[in-house]
Amino acid sequence: MSAVEPNVPGSAPLLRIENLKKTFSIPTTLFRKPLTLTALEDINFTVEKGETLGIVGESGCGKSTLGRCILQLISPDEGKVLWLGQDLTELKPEEMRKRRQDLQIIFQDPLASLNPRMTVGEIISDPLRTLRPDLSRTERRARIIRMMEAVGLLPEMINRYPHEFSGGQAQRIGIARALITEPKLIVCDEPVSALDVSIQAQILNLLSELKDEFGLTLVFISHDLSVVRHVSDRILVLYLGRIAELASGEMLYTDPKHPYTRALLTAVPIPDPKRARMRDVEELMGEVPSPINPPSGCHFRTRCRYAIEKCAAIIPPLEEIPGGRLVACHRWKEID
Ligand code: SF4
């Protein structure tokens, strides 16, 4: 079993993920057994109240699957999702429905995630239909208006339809919908990757303002380290369903330990001459291998310039190293 972050005595983390595993069965031809895709394995981490945890990795590394397991939109095969100490994987559907008020999601493609036949007011208030049926019509409308104002939409837009909005405005609608139940934690799944660069900064700034205003905790998923860096207190790097590294944003950027993190960083502008020199030699090579048939031992070994024989034979454990950070690499001490 990998290292589990130590608990601070007397303070249970808001969210604790323990030994999470998720596989998918992939159908093949009629007479052959389905293949197994391991999307997540041996995932352990915590999220503290008020924190923003960035989750980063290339497409196909399991980031969105992890976000959906946290929210119980899909069930993990093994492991626990402890919300304030309560294991969400063991809750009955009715109990989980009550918990949903605390746990919301913002999706990647804002326009595609909004029902084109519903008005903005209906979209934003939709979660309240099932989660807060006790609210009166007037209370519901007051909440919608408050959320529209909080995300920078004019209340007079309440009866408009999604196609009348730009991508950035549509994402503001998605954020208002996530906020309306007054959640404690929001999983932001690539919330700006479908937007123009100029709009991305506006949405990132909005999310960090709302985090302060509403006392939110965020899990921020992105394939882009420069986006995650902008918003995260700590960053978890995923590679082919396993944690490669977990550290504070500052440590990860100034002193990355895992070769995969170092390779991802070559794509991010950093005003550091030492790291700039590293760029040419550490650039990420090739594609992510198929998670149906990942490399033996360390999954990153086929793209790692530091790989040795041991890397093909033994999966590197996730070790706690000085600075309270976690890294899964046999050679992290030798790499600088
Ligand atoms: Fe590279 Fe080996 Fe470390 Fe994996 S364990 S990242 S292959 S050096």
Side-chain angles (χ1 to χ4, degrees):
M1 188 179 84
S2 299
V4 178
E5 289 171 275
N7 240 339
V8 179
S11 66
L14 196 65
L15 178 72
R16 186 179 191 93
I17 303 297
E18 281 185 15
N19 304 324
L20 198 78
K21 178 173 183 176
K22 177 67 190 172
T23 61
F24 294 102
S25 184
I26 310 290
T28 52
T29 52
L30 194 56
F31 301 107
R32 295 185 71 180
K33 272 184 21 188
L35 299 169
T36 300
L37 182 157
T38 304
L40 295 169
E41 191 153 27
D42 217 0
I43 302 291
N44 291 282
F45 64 92
T46 59
V47 184
E48 300 296 335
K49 185 173 186 299
E51 181 182 30
T52 298
L53 178 75
I55 298 181
V56 74
E58 292 161 283
S59 176
C61 282
K63 308 181 298 291
S64 292
T65 303
L66 179 52
R68 280 160 175 72
C69 284
I70 291 172
L71 299 175
Q72 295 296 293
L73 297 174
I74 52 176
S75 304
D77 302 5
E78 292 172 20
K80 294 180 179 175
V81 177
L82 296 161
W83 175 253
L84 290 167
Q86 183 180 43
D87 188 0
L88 299 183
T89 66
E90 293 190 340
L91 293 187
K92 298 197 176 84
E94 178 57 21
E95 293 167 324
M96 189 57 220
R97 198 177 63 78
K98 288 183 192 145
R99 276 279 152 262
R100 288 226 175 278
Q101 203 172 314
D102 290 342
L103 301 152
Q104 290 291 321
I105 184 166
I106 298 168
F107 294 101
Q108 175 177 1
D109 188 344
L111 277 170
S113 71
L114 306 179
N115 185 333
R117 284 184 288 279
M118 288 165 84
T119 66
V120 168
E122 288 167 340
I123 290 169
I124 294 174
S125 64
D126 196 40
L128 296 178
R129 272 192 312 122
T130 45
L131 299 175
R132 291 300 307 275
D134 55 306
L135 292 179
S136 70
R137 201 182 154 84
T138 316
E139 286 169 324
R140 237 187 3 247
R141 187 177 168 84
R143 275 208 191 194
I144 299 168
I145 301 289
R146 176 162 177 246
M147 291 310 147
M148 289 184 75
E149 287 174 340
V151 300
L153 292 170
L154 297 170
E156 47 267 38
M157 294 171 166
I158 193 168
N159 291 320
R160 293 202 194 159
Y161 288 88
H163 73 266
E164 299 176 62
F165 291 88
S166 65
Q169 284 176 319
Q171 194 53 296
R172 288 174 193 266
I173 298 169
I175 295 170
R177 177 178 56 187
L179 280 176
I180 198 140
T181 62
E182 298 177 347
K184 295 188 173 72
L185 180 136
I186 300 182
V187 173
C188 309
D189 189 1
E190 299 265 14
V192 297
S193 57
L195 303 175
D196 288 348
V197 175
S198 57
I199 309 296
Q200 287 186 0
Q202 290 175 19
I203 297 295
L204 292 175
N205 289 338
L206 174 66
L207 282 170
S208 89
E209 284 163 23
L210 293 171
K211 185 187 161 197
D212 293 341
E213 186 179 342
F214 290 90
L216 297 168
T217 302
L218 301 178
V219 172
F220 195 101
I221 295 170
S222 177
H223 66 281
D224 185 342
L225 250 179
S226 52
V227 167
V228 173
R229 180 189 194 183
H230 193 78
V231 293
S232 306
D233 300 303
R234 287 186 307 150
I235 297 172
L236 184 158
V237 181
L238 263 188
Y239 187 75
L240 270 185
R242 288 181 171 271
I243 298 176
E245 186 161 8
L246 173 56
S248 72
E250 176 67 17
M251 275 186 203
L252 201 91
Y253 279 88
T254 55
D255 186 21
K257 294 295 185 199
H258 197 284
Y260 182 52
T261 314
R262 294 164 74 96
L264 286 177
L265 274 171
T266 61
V268 177
I270 304 172
D272 174 346
K274 184 180 159 202
R275 299 210 59 75
R277 280 197 299 278
M278 215 175 75
R279 247 158 235 279
D280 298 342
V281 285
E282 303 227 11
E283 219 165 274
L284 202 47
M285 303 170 299
E287 301 290 316
V288 184
S290 165
I292 293 174
N293 188 20
S296 64
C298 174
H299 290 351
F300 188 57
R301 71 177 170 79
T302 51
R303 302 169 83 191
C304 180
R305 63 190 290 267
Y306 300 99
I308 53 174
E309 225 169 276
K310 181 181 180 184
C311 304
I314 302 171
I315 295 174
L318 191 63
E319 275 182 75
E320 186 169 356
I321 65 169
R325 59 197 292 183
L326 302 175
V327 66
C329 171
H330 294 306
R331 303 191 66 195
W332 69 267
K333 279 187 196 151
E334 303 157 53
I335 297 167
D336 188 24

